[in-house]
Amino acid sequence: MLAKIRQLSRDLAIYGVGDVVVSVVNFLLLPLYVRYLNPAEYGVLGLLGSVEVIAKIFFRWGLDGSFMRLFYDCETTADRQRLASTLFFFLLALNGVLLAASLAVSPIVAEQLFGTASHLQALQLTLVNTFIIGFTFFPFHLLRMEQRSGEFVVLTLSRSVTTVVLRLVLIMGFGMGVMGVVLADLVVTVLLMAVLFRRFSALIRPTFSHAVLREGLRFGLPRVPHAAAQQVIAVGDKIILTLFVPLAQLGVYSMGVSFGLTQKLFLSAFEYAWAPFYYANAREPDAPRLFSRVATYGFAVLALLTAGLSAIGRDLLVTVVGPDYAGAAPIVAWTAVGVMFQGIYLLTSIGLNITRRTEYYPVSTLTAAVVNVGLNFLLIPVYGIVGAAWATAVSYAVQAALAFGFSQRFYPIRYDAPRLLTIGLAAIAAWGLAYLIPALPPAMGVVVRGSVVVLVFGSVLAAGGVVRLDELRRIAALGDRKAAPAGTPPETTELAGELVATDLADDELVTATRRQNT
């Protein structure tokens, strides 16, 4: 496993290191941010972020996935130019109208979101920024498909570092507050597009094909409800919270969510690596057993991180951002639980991708989104921001459960229930013992409680025989195999938050899988 993870980690370094770096840097800079942004302003930023992630869906229409998929079918430069130009001009025209309409109604939206028009300009700049970002997939997908990994890393890191530096200058140097964050993001996006346009401008020509557009929309549009439902789960709570709590409480909630999402650094890294891993090994005779073992260790990492964050949440908040945000400790814990269920979803829904039954992803996600909205309206009036955190965790659990059930129907995998149960109990025990430790100075509490979680969790796993060196060696041996020779790129799609290849025959895989599980 270690050899394979090292290999897949190199892929992560190519495609995800920039996002990870900026997340770490932003986390470390939180003490500086809270000196210049009060909880209410932090709540405004949370709402603007919600607007951005929702707008991104409708500024792309699933055509980012279509561009990569159809690019592989293009045999000549003219074909590739026709594809890129058709999608580019379609997005430019449609999104131009959508942007104009959004700006026209933005005063009403700002009044509803913030209760005042003072953040109207920040909202409008956020919409403009999202419109421009909607075109960045063209050059970034080209860099991936052309295997120009070094250039990808340089551009990603440059964007991240420049954004952080400019935010600090505008917030700390010029006292611009919320507008400093929004303006910094817009300036960096414009600069980035100026650099990137040179890298894909050769594909843009005065040509348009209705047939290509129909094919692109046929592939991409089914992704829209799935992505929309994902974003409802991710950001709907903040919008609903505005109906029941003041902006200061929303700021506390947003801070807690930010801390609870720190374990997504692991999940993001794993997400980049997981799809190549299971597709590289899907044809192996014992593939279902292999995936079961990897899922066991993946769940162990998620459980440990969840227990750790839940135990040190309050101490970490007070240490990093001060006592004003201590009330966000339950939010940290329940957000971490939600991320854990996202990881379980990622680990156990792979059968839908392998067998090309991706139409079941929107079913599970839309159901979870409905549950999320309903629980938010039910719980927030009674329990406030904690109710919102509960709603999010439950909705991710529902999504994971439904996707798991669908995946097992088409690609059954026998998971090791006793070991998974041991991992879950170990995490609960580790959190419980750390929670019972009397109050300590915050920094010391982070160290002591975190150490207790790691020691207790590791001890229980060792005593329960969860970690087995023999199977780790067998999994690691898979990493020593040579990659398949390069050939025609596989069919690709982007669902469940990951870019996956689907070049395997359904019947062959289902038959082999059922044979291995009997």
Side-chain angles (χ1 to χ4, degrees), residues 217-303:
L217 291 174
R218 185 180 301 116
F219 185 90
L221 284 181
R223 298 174 56 225
V224 174
H226 171 76
Q230 288 275 45
Q231 297 309 327
V232 167
I233 300 173
V235 304
D237 50 356
K238 297 182 181 67
I239 296 175
I240 297 173
L241 277 167
T242 63
L243 303 176
F244 300 100
V245 302
L247 279 177
Q249 275 289 290
L250 181 57
V252 172
Y253 180 79
S254 297
M255 183 65 74
V257 170
S258 297
F259 275 71
L261 289 176
T262 53
Q263 77 182 66
K264 265 204 161 185
L265 293 176
F266 161 75
L267 191 58
S268 297
F270 184 79
E271 194 170 359
Y272 278 102
W274 181 221
F277 180 90
Y278 65 72
Y279 275 102
N281 295 285
R283 291 186 182 277
E284 294 302 312
D286 62 343
R289 283 195 291 269
L290 168 66
F291 300 149
S292 174
R293 292 166 183 162
V294 174
T296 297
Y297 292 109
F299 177 60
V301 175
L302 288 167

Side-chain angles (χ1 to χ4, degrees), residues 1-304:
M1 173 185 276
L2 295 179
K4 189 68 175 178
I5 293 299
R6 282 196 297 269
Q7 176 184 346
L8 298 178
S9 295
R10 287 194 292 271
D11 295 336
L12 168 64
I14 294 173
Y15 298 120
V17 69
D19 290 334
V20 172
V21 168
V22 76
S23 296
V24 172
V25 172
N26 276 328
F27 178 77
L28 296 176
L29 289 174
L30 280 175
L32 292 176
Y33 284 142
V34 297
R35 289 180 59 187
Y36 296 90
L37 298 173
N38 59 45
E41 289 176 314
Y42 212 85
V44 171
L45 287 175
L47 289 174
L48 291 175
S50 301
V51 170
E52 181 179 349
V53 295
I54 293 173
K56 277 182 180 178
I57 300 170
F58 299 102
F59 279 139
R60 289 193 175 179
W61 302 102
L63 294 179
D64 48 340
S66 300
F67 176 63
M68 180 171 281
R69 171 63 185 90
L70 299 179
F71 193 89
Y72 287 137
D73 292 338
C74 296
E75 298 180 355
T76 66
T77 299
D79 291 337
R80 289 187 283 273
Q81 290 175 336
R82 186 178 303 108
L83 169 65
S85 300
T86 297
L87 300 185
F88 178 82
F89 289 123
F90 173 78
L91 290 176
L92 186 63
L94 180 60
N95 291 347
V97 174
L98 184 61
L99 175 63
S102 300
L103 293 176
V105 301
S106 59
I108 301 174
V109 175
E111 187 70 32
Q112 291 296 317
L113 284 178
F114 312 120
T116 175
S118 58
H119 299 293
L120 171 60
Q121 190 175 10
L123 174 62
Q124 292 173 333
L125 291 181
T126 298
L127 292 170
V128 173
N129 184 51
T130 310
F131 168 77
I132 299 173
I133 289 175
F135 297 94
T136 57
F137 73 83
F138 286 104
F140 276 124
H141 277 9
L142 280 175
L143 290 175
R144 291 182 176 186
M145 292 184 289
E146 295 173 0
Q147 298 182 337
R148 294 154 67 182
S149 57
E151 191 172 353
F152 186 98
V153 169
V154 169
L155 287 170
T156 305
L157 285 176
S158 298
R159 175 189 61 184
S160 301
V161 172
T162 305
T163 300
V164 170
V165 171
L166 191 55
R167 280 183 177 183
L168 291 177
V169 170
L170 296 179
I171 294 173
M172 299 170 58
F174 292 88
M176 296 183 65
V178 171
M179 274 299 297
V181 176
V182 174
L183 187 59
D185 292 351
L186 177 59
V187 169
V188 172
T189 298
V190 172
L191 293 175
L192 178 68
M193 280 303 299
V195 173
L196 291 176
F197 187 75
R198 295 187 298 107
R199 288 162 171 77
F200 77 99
S201 59
L203 290 177
I204 305 302
R205 292 291 183 269
T207 181
F208 188 91
S209 169
H210 289 89
V212 169
L213 179 60
R214 284 194 298 271
E215 187 68 20
L217 291 174
R218 185 180 301 116
F219 185 90
L221 284 181
R223 298 174 56 225
V224 174
H226 171 76
Q230 288 275 45
Q231 297 309 327
V232 167
I233 300 173
V235 304
D237 50 356
K238 297 182 181 67
I239 296 175
I240 297 173
L241 277 167
T242 63
L243 303 176
F244 300 100
V245 302
L247 279 177
Q249 275 289 290
L250 181 57
V252 172
Y253 180 79
S254 297
M255 183 65 74
V257 170
S258 297
F259 275 71
L261 289 176
T262 53
Q263 77 182 66
K264 265 204 161 185
L265 293 176
F266 161 75
L267 191 58
S268 297
F270 184 79
E271 194 170 359
Y272 278 102
W274 181 221
F277 180 90
Y278 65 72
Y279 275 102
N281 295 285
R283 291 186 182 277
E284 294 302 312
D286 62 343
R289 283 195 291 269
L290 168 66
F291 300 149
S292 174
R293 292 166 183 162
V294 174
T296 297
Y297 292 109
F299 177 60
V301 175
L302 288 167
L304 173 61

Side-chain angles (χ1 to χ4, degrees), residues 330-349:
I331 312 305
V332 175
W334 287 104
T335 299
V337 171
V339 174
M340 181 185 70
F341 282 119
Q342 286 180 274
I344 294 172
Y345 165 72
L346 187 68
L347 283 165
T348 62
S349 66

